[in-house]
Amino acid sequence: MEPDTDFLVRRAGVEDALQIADVHVAAWRETYGPLLPAGALDSLDAGERAQKWAGIIAGGEEVLVAEDAGGIVAWASGGPGRDDDAPVDRELEGIYSPARVHGSGVGQLLLDAVIADSPAYLWVLDGNARAEAFYRCNGFRRDGAEREHAVAGIPRTTVRMVRS
């Protein structure tokens, strides 16, 4: 896909919660589906996730969305590091987009908007090669830290990547 510059990146509002949840569910199914047992993500519900997103946004968390003429196509969140042993002050909490916009440049736009070129860290599911390659291109490297994280209730290893 050719890089697209027709995305608007803006701060999310509570009214965006359902579209964010739709993107979240689609991205999880496409990205994590192959890394989990068959059917593990079938019960994901965008309506339920929308309620959680509305609370996150209303609580003041930094959530950015990218939209095109059809609506929200991706989101990102970031903030102060949430871990006691954070290697740097800023954490990229997530960037999610469905496969239909991969390669469009939207992930880069969101990364640049949420953390710019600041030192930051993130956690990525071990085995998510596409995401890890993207982060490596942006200066992130594994620092050796790992932890278990439940994805749809199934424990999986996540690895920490840091950009100093």
Side-chain angles (χ1 to χ4, degrees):
M1 179 180 266
E2 211 43 46
D4 188 339
T5 57
D6 292 332
F7 295 110
L8 170 68
V9 174
R10 62 173 176 80
R11 190 166 184 108
V14 173
E15 67 279 2
D16 297 318
L18 183 55
Q19 286 188 67
I20 292 169
D22 285 338
V23 167
H24 199 174
V25 167
W28 266 45
R29 286 183 174 150
E30 293 168 355
T31 302
Y32 300 146
L35 302 173
L36 297 171
L41 301 175
D42 289 351
S43 66
L44 290 179
D45 178 71
E48 188 178 295
R49 288 199 175 259
Q51 291 178 358
K52 291 178 183 174
W53 276 111
I56 290 168
I57 295 165
E61 294 287 327
E62 183 180 355
V63 179
L64 302 179
V65 296
E67 59 187 355
D68 63 12
I72 294 172
V73 298
W75 62 266
S77 60
R82 298 174 290 179
D83 300 301
D84 291 338
D85 66 342
V88 293
D89 292 338
R90 190 107 173 109
E91 180 181 4
L92 176 64
E93 297 168 7
I95 295 180
Y96 285 92
S97 65
R100 68 182 175 81
V101 296
H102 287 174
S104 68
V106 72
Q108 190 66 54
L109 288 171
L110 284 167
L111 179 78
D112 293 346
V114 79
I115 62 169
D117 59 358
S118 300
Y121 75 98
L122 59 93
W123 292 92
V124 63
L125 191 67
D126 196 24
N128 187 349
R130 181 180 183 88
E132 188 165 344
F134 171 75
Y135 295 128
R136 283 187 181 283
C137 285
N138 280 281
F140 288 87
R141 299 289 178 262
R142 287 186 182 211
D143 74 346
E146 296 183 355
R147 68 180 181 194
E148 290 298 307
H149 178 75
V151 179
I154 298 163
R156 287 293 183 251
T157 300
T158 57
V159 296
R160 187 168 64 193
M161 299 183 76
V162 179
R163 179 176 70 191
S164 298

